[in-house]
Amino acid sequence: MLSNPTPAPATAVEAAMVAFETALQGLRDVGFGELSNNRDRLDLVQRFETGTRTIAGFGTVLIADMQEQWIPGELGDYRLADVLADTLRIYPSEAKARRRIAEDLGPRTGFSGAPLDPVYPNTAAAHRDGAIDRAHITVIREFFAQVPSYVDAETREQAEAKLAEQARILRPDQLRRAGNRILAYLNPDGNAPEVDRDRKRTFILGKQGTDLMTKGSFCVDPELRSYLEALFAKYAKPGVGNPHDADSTVDAEPTDEVAHRDERSVGQRQHDALTMVLRDALASGTLGQHRGLPVTVVATMTVKELEDASGTAITGGGSLLPIRDVLRVARHAHHYLALFDDDDGRPIYLGRSKRIAQGDQRLVCYARDKGCTFPGCWRPANCCQCHHCREWVAELGLTDVDQLALVCDSHHRLAGVKDTDWHTIVAGPDHQYPGRILWVPPKHVDPTRKPRINHYFHPHEYWDLD
């Protein structure tokens, strides 16, 4: 009896991929029980490592090619990194890191259409050969981030070739030490020009931990350091601004007794000093507006949470703020606090006939949406603008709060009325989440066009999912 022949692969790439997947399945089926000694096992682990690195090199080339031909919204999102994160189910930070590596190690095309070598050609070759892994690449990229701007192109090329050569035989930690020696040779005086100092300046606020505390890192320029020194000289002295001492002062010189009982460390006093200065700056009203609201703290919570003085509010920046801290903040300045019903949490109705959403409407959106409504987006409310779920028409359109949605700048570009755009609708009263914003994907993203909702800012809803 004749069986139906297996269709031939459409391309040579597909044929090779089928053979590769078949070989992987074969390894899974065979297992490794027949290996009798650790030398054989180690050799196989080494071969697997080379194969894994080679596959990563293939991915780098593909990501670089996608970046060269990228059309925003073509695959369902505006940024390639977001598409990679969603498709591969990896951290957005990991997706961005892979894209940046592809920019440096992937093939490029010039303005004339002629192919160009990668930014780091020797490192790219070692990556494709499976000789180096991600850690080696990170060391090399960090090395060039520290190379002074006055070093000429030829010297940079020689350094890259030498580092790539050493990466094939050294561990990443050993490669870093070799890179430091090369860097010391290139910059023996160690005096970075102003342009290099400017390139290094950074202030990164990390993510909140489970204890609601936040770690970060910074590298400040001489100007900011001078400001901090002046600030700490006054506000970080023992006995000044101690939140645990009612007798602690700010304006007057603290008494010896108050200063003596201040048990805070230097780091804690400097932390509290920054808190005081930033609180005063926000309360001053001189910082202008951001997206239609004064630059200040916007916190949302339920009436029950406020009455019980327990739980956490969520700020416009997406942070969690304990209710007791909200009450303390409210004593110092007129910040924004939006209170919503405990049962359904639905906002009150506010209508406007102007094109721009008013400040009170933005507050309602802050409280209801808490951040970008696009499925899976994590950007907080103060990084969003108000999007009209019904397309606004100058003659007839209304800017009503129940038809507004918070959307970040990136995903706002995806919304529209064409068949290739994402559409936004408001969930009806019979929906599981009435009044919430639903995003309907275009057919090329989801042929069924099933509406999607963002649960990121409403984590309790994840328990409701089937």
Side-chain angles (χ1 to χ4, degrees):
M1 180 176 180
L2 295 177
S3 59
N4 293 327
T6 302
T11 64
V13 172
E14 178 64 19
M17 193 66 192
V18 169
F20 171 71
E21 292 171 341
T22 302
L24 284 181
Q25 184 63 53
L27 280 172
R28 277 196 295 265
D29 295 341
V30 169
F32 310 108
E34 64 184 36
L35 299 179
S36 59
N37 60 77
N38 283 338
R39 168 52 59 187
D40 291 341
R41 296 185 183 99
L42 181 60
D43 288 343
L44 194 57
V45 168
Q46 184 180 28
R47 292 168 67 183
F48 282 151
E49 181 67 21
T50 300
T52 300
R53 295 174 178 181
T54 303
I55 293 171
F58 294 160
T60 295
V61 172
L62 290 172
I63 292 172
D65 289 341
M66 283 192 289
Q67 185 67 43
E68 286 270 330
Q69 303 175 25
W70 183 248
I71 300 175
E74 179 185 16
L75 299 179
D77 214 320
Y78 194 79
R79 294 185 177 94
L80 173 59
D82 291 335
V83 171
L84 291 174
D86 291 341
T87 304
L88 305 180
R89 300 190 306 281
I90 58 178
Y91 283 115
S93 58
E94 169 66 16
K96 292 177 182 177
R98 294 189 189 186
R99 182 185 59 77
R100 286 193 292 266
I101 289 176
E103 289 177 350
D104 289 342
L105 304 187
R108 299 180 296 160
T109 304
F111 288 114
S112 64
L116 300 175
D117 288 335
V119 177
Y120 304 130
N122 298 283
T123 306
H127 186 37
R128 290 193 303 271
D129 292 344
I132 63 175
D133 69 2
R134 173 80 163 272
H136 293 96
I137 296 169
T138 299
V139 170
I140 293 174
R141 295 179 74 241
E142 290 178 350
F143 168 86
F144 281 102
Q146 300 178 69
V147 172
S149 56
Y150 57 77
V151 175
D152 61 87
E154 182 179 357
T155 302
R156 288 171 179 265
E157 291 172 0
Q158 293 174 350
E160 191 268 333
K162 179 58 67 176
L163 283 173
E165 175 187 335
Q166 292 298 303
R168 290 177 177 265
I169 57 176
L170 298 178
R171 302 193 309 258
D173 58 308
Q174 297 170 328
L175 179 65
R176 189 179 298 279
R177 286 194 288 269
N180 290 340
R181 294 297 298 271
I182 296 176
L183 193 62
Y185 175 78
L186 296 178
N187 186 27
D189 297 331
N191 298 321
E194 184 174 353
V195 65
D196 293 307
R197 288 202 304 267
D198 288 346
R199 185 177 60 178
K200 292 181 179 179
R201 72 188 190 281
T202 182
F203 194 102
I204 298 176
L205 192 64
K207 296 182 179 179
Q208 262 187 315
T210 55
D211 59 355
L212 304 188
M213 299 298 285
T214 303
K215 292 183 178 180
S217 62
F218 65 84
C219 183
V220 300
D221 62 14
E223 180 183 3
L224 178 53
R225 181 184 175 89
S226 68
Y227 296 156
L228 292 173
E229 289 173 340
L231 184 157
F232 293 148
K234 173 178 173 59
Y235 289 97
K237 291 172 59 177
V240 174
N242 187 350
H244 305 298
D245 190 343
D247 296 330
S248 183
T249 182
V250 173
D251 296 326
E253 190 73 14
T255 64
D256 291 341
E257 180 184 359
V258 172
H260 180 70
R261 64 172 181 254
D262 189 346
E263 298 180 348
R264 296 174 298 166
S265 66
V266 174
Q268 290 170 334
R269 294 200 306 269
Q270 292 180 347
H271 170 280
D272 295 342
L274 277 174
T275 300
M276 285 188 292
V277 171
L278 292 175
R279 184 176 60 211
D280 291 344
L282 291 172
S284 68
T286 61
L287 300 181
Q289 292 193 340
H290 172 64
R291 299 186 185 273
L293 289 178
V295 177
T296 187
V297 176
V298 178
T300 64
M301 68 183 77
T302 66
V303 175
K304 186 176 186 302
E305 289 171 331
L306 181 62
E307 291 176 343
D308 295 344
S310 63
T312 56
I314 185 168
T315 69
S319 299
L320 298 179
L321 188 65
I323 302 302
R324 61 181 181 276
D325 291 343
V326 175
L327 298 177
R328 182 170 62 249
V329 166
R331 292 200 300 267
H332 297 283
H334 296 290
H335 300 290
Y336 285 97
L337 172 64
L339 298 176
F340 276 64
D341 185 81
D342 295 301
D343 295 328
D344 57 23
R346 297 190 69 178
I348 60 175
Y349 182 89
L350 291 174
R352 290 291 185 271
S353 58
K354 295 183 179 180
R355 178 67 176 92
I356 303 300
Q358 301 301 300
D360 49 3
Q361 294 177 309
R362 287 192 60 84
L363 286 175
V364 172
C365 290
Y366 268 47
R368 180 195 62 200
D369 300 334
K370 296 180 173 59
C372 180
T373 56
F374 188 85
C377 186
W378 51 268
R379 294 173 181 86
N382 61 9
C383 293
C384 298
Q385 53 187 297
C386 282
H387 164 68
H388 293 73
C389 293
R390 283 199 302 258
E391 190 67 12
W392 195 86
V393 181
E395 294 80 6
L396 301 175
L398 296 177
T399 304
D400 296 339
V401 73
D402 61 349
Q403 291 294 325
L404 293 176
L406 289 183
V407 186
C408 68
D409 295 342
S410 174
H411 291 129
H412 201 196
R413 301 185 183 100
L414 300 178
V417 297
K418 296 184 294 186
D419 292 340
T420 55
D421 296 331
W422 288 73
H423 299 170
T424 50
I425 57 177
V426 179
D430 297 331
H431 193 273
Q432 185 178 8
Y433 306 107
R436 292 281 295 284
I437 308 303
L438 307 178
W439 286 75
V440 181
K443 286 187 177 181
H444 70 271
V445 174
D446 179 6
T448 66
R449 306 204 68 189
K450 181 180 179 180
R452 305 181 185 183
I453 192 171
N454 190 9
H455 298 286
Y456 181 86
F457 295 99
H458 309 268
H460 62 281
E461 293 176 358
Y462 287 116
W463 298 104
D464 301 333
L465 299 178
D466 296 331

